[in-house]
Amino acid sequence: MAAGGAFKQWFNGPAGPVAGGVFFWAPTFKWGISMANIADLQRPAEKVSYPQQCAIAATGVIWSRYSLVINPVNYNLLAVNAFMAVTGLYQLYRKLSLDYMTETIKKG
């Protein structure tokens, strides 16, 4: 019963889906952006957008920090934004690597 009680406490708590409102549902729907970024890993690196991935990575870093400062600490918000930061930074790495290799080949 302890697990059921903990679940009920979270479910009805300030960061849960019932009382949490935007603190629960906004990060939950934000997972869609992260999943779209994962799906974009299948696209060629030359089609990756610097401004888009910089925005995704910056959003992830900024809001990850914010999720630890607010009361109650929102672990769903932390998880989704940490994931956004990592996927955005990885996409930028892919694009920068391609651009660097392209420049090296042109010079050589």
Side-chain angles (χ1 to χ4, degrees):
M1 279 305 212
F7 176 77
K8 187 175 181 180
Q9 183 180 6
W10 167 81
F11 191 79
N12 294 317
V18 174
V22 72
F23 292 110
F24 176 79
W25 292 109
T28 300
F29 283 105
K30 199 171 187 181
W31 278 106
I33 297 170
S34 294
M35 293 302 118
N37 217 22
I38 289 294
D40 282 350
L41 291 174
Q42 302 300 316
R43 295 175 65 201
E46 50 278 342
K47 297 204 178 220
V48 171
S49 165
Y50 279 121
Q52 177 185 10
Q53 295 307 320
C54 285
I56 288 173
T59 297
V61 170
I62 292 166
W63 287 97
S64 291
R65 171 69 177 124
Y66 174 77
S67 70
L68 296 171
V69 175
I70 60 172
N71 191 9
V73 173
N74 192 331
Y75 294 108
N76 187 20
L77 185 64
L78 173 62
V80 71
N81 283 297
F83 199 75
M84 283 186 73
V86 169
T87 59
L89 290 170
Y90 181 70
Q91 290 281 37
L92 286 170
Y93 168 77
R94 286 180 62 219
K95 179 72 168 173
L96 287 167
S97 294
L98 175 73
D99 290 350
Y100 176 76
M101 287 178 16
T102 304
E103 284 298 316
T104 304
I105 291 170
K106 284 182 183 177
K107 289 180 183 177

